[in-house]
Amino acid sequence: MTYVKTIGAALLASVALASAAAASCEITLRSSDTHPDGYPTVAAVNAMGEMLKERSEGRLCIEVFHSAQLGEEKDTIEQTQFGVIDMNRVSLGPFNNIIEETQVPSLPYIFRSVGHMNKVMDGPVGQQILDAFSDHDLVGLAFYDGGSRSFYNSEKPIASIDDLAGMKFRVMQSDMFVDMVSALGANATPMPYGEVYSSIQTGVIDGAENNWPSYDSSGHFEVAKYYTLDQHLIVPEVLVMAKSSFDKLSAEDQALVRQAARDSVPVMRDLWIAREQTSEARVREAGVQIITDIDKTPFIEAMVPVYEKYVTSAVLKEMVADIQATK
């Protein structure tokens, strides 16, 4: 609890600097995001805040603390569970060790495309996963698009699974992602997102894996000039709220929050598509070597032990079957 109190004190100090606009609302929900200002997830939560303020006639606002101001994702999850942070936009990966259901959309190659992922997460499987957050002091509000994640490194072009042998890659702090990289013959190093740039630069790791916008906005392309489009993960992002904060709201305001979150999803997706195109163009212009001619079959086949380890319960097996059956 000492840790949480310390973080809480830091958060209160940050909140003291909140904008005058947010201060004018009756309730200001403090929301965390590790990405920089203007990033699609940050912009989407800001858009949600505008909807919420308008629909509540100025009673409810959202103050977004971007750029990991409140901590890296793993730390802010705990803060949100304790109610120190009201809302949080987080990748699903860090939840894998906490909420079993989040493991399924985090499985390598579970989705055939981003469109397939969106259709699944907008449907019954997505709602089933959002509902699972309630047992962990959280309220699942909506899923955002995290694009497809691919490997990048500072050492050499990766054109086959054999090229990954012995290389060191940063992954999100998730046992599943560690096992995924190990199954491909490489070495996984879980670490906070904010430490990746310097770790590649100093040779602590050879590279990492992420989507076009993150590869761009983080500046990782400056120190890792080889990007292989193996698209091993298409993991959605999730927007959650502290259950303690949600329960303080009236039923009417709870409904407003849920609806504004849902309505922010198409906003985020449109922004994401545009940002992907901009980021890809910027990265290519910087002279990064993009490897597209790659046979994904060996990568997919290597994931069999990962599925066997994590898809064990009847519930998870049924979810996987439902996703594979979704057209």
Side-chain angles (χ1 to χ4, degrees):
M1 291 298 292
T2 300
Y3 168 78
V4 174
K5 288 179 180 177
T6 301
I7 294 296
L11 176 57
L12 290 174
S14 298
V15 171
L17 302 176
S19 69
S24 67
C25 298
E26 290 181 20
I27 298 174
T28 298
L29 302 173
R30 298 154 300 185
S31 186
S32 177
D33 199 306
T34 191
H35 290 301
D37 194 21
Y39 195 87
T41 56
V42 175
V45 178
N46 278 325
M48 175 187 170
E50 293 171 5
M51 297 177 202
L52 197 57
K53 185 174 183 180
E54 179 181 352
R55 295 170 187 179
S56 67
E57 299 181 341
R59 288 183 298 102
L60 303 177
C61 289
I62 298 174
E63 183 79 7
V64 181
F65 292 83
H66 54 79
S67 307
Q69 294 176 67
L70 305 183
E72 296 289 348
E73 289 187 341
K74 187 174 184 294
D75 299 325
T76 59
I77 288 173
E78 181 179 344
Q79 294 177 56
T80 311
Q81 288 176 303
F82 277 97
V84 178
I85 295 174
D86 300 304
M87 293 175 59
N88 202 354
R89 192 291 313 159
V90 196
S91 301
L92 271 189
F95 280 114
N96 289 171
N97 298 340
I98 304 171
I99 302 172
E100 182 185 49
E101 287 84 351
T102 66
Q103 293 177 3
V104 172
S106 302
L107 287 165
Y109 298 106
I110 186 68
F111 298 115
R112 297 185 292 274
S113 65
V114 171
H116 179 220
M117 183 271 290
N118 287 337
K119 188 169 184 179
V120 168
M121 303 314 287
D122 288 345
V125 171
Q127 189 59 53
Q128 182 180 354
I129 297 169
L130 288 178
D131 291 344
F133 283 87
S134 62
D135 291 333
H136 300 272
D137 299 316
L138 297 167
V139 176
L141 295 176
F143 290 109
Y144 287 161
D145 188 351
S148 59
R149 300 173 72 98
S150 295
F151 287 108
Y152 50 86
N153 80 96
S154 61
E155 298 299 313
K156 63 182 180 180
I158 295 172
S160 72
I161 191 171
D162 294 336
D163 293 330
L164 288 165
M167 296 188 73
K168 296 174 292 184
F169 288 95
R170 176 266 180 181
V171 294
M172 285 186 280
Q173 289 154 305
S174 161
D175 290 345
M176 181 188 294
F177 295 163
V178 171
D179 291 337
M180 173 193 72
V181 171
S182 297
L184 292 171
N187 300 311
T189 302
M191 69 170 59
Y193 185 61
E195 297 177 12
V196 177
Y197 188 103
S198 61
S199 295
I200 296 175
Q201 192 174 40
T202 58
V204 173
I205 55 176
D206 297 314
E209 50 82 48
N210 221 315
N211 51 51
W212 283 111
S214 294
Y215 181 48
D216 167 30
S217 67
S218 62
H220 293 174
F221 71 92
E222 299 169 353
V223 290
K225 293 286 189 179
Y226 303 100
Y227 192 39
T228 298
L229 295 180
D230 64 293
Q231 300 175 314
H232 52 269
L233 293 172
I234 303 178
V235 182
E237 314 271 284
V238 66
L239 180 64
V240 299
M241 186 168 176
K243 190 175 186 302
S244 57
S245 300
F246 189 79
D247 289 345
K248 291 176 185 176
L249 300 178
S250 66
E252 177 187 359
D253 285 348
Q254 289 177 352
L256 288 176
V257 169
R258 287 189 183 277
Q259 189 59 52
R262 286 192 290 268
D263 290 344
S264 73
V265 173
V267 174
M268 189 276 166
R269 289 178 181 168
D270 287 344
L271 291 170
W272 182 264
I273 292 170
R275 182 58 180 267
E276 273 196 324
Q277 294 171 346
T278 300
S279 292
E280 180 178 353
R282 183 182 177 198
V283 166
R284 288 184 181 277
E285 186 177 350
V288 170
Q289 185 172 342
I290 312 298
I291 298 91
T292 58
D293 185 15
I294 180 172
D295 181 7
K296 294 182 184 179
T297 302
F299 288 73
I300 295 172
E301 291 174 346
M303 293 303 105
V304 171
V306 177
Y307 276 64
E308 289 177 345
K309 179 176 179 178
Y310 290 96
V311 185
T312 55
S313 71
V315 171
L316 299 190
K317 289 178 180 178
E318 184 176 355
M319 289 176 67
V320 169
D322 288 343
I323 290 174
Q324 293 173 338
T326 301
K327 303 300 182 183

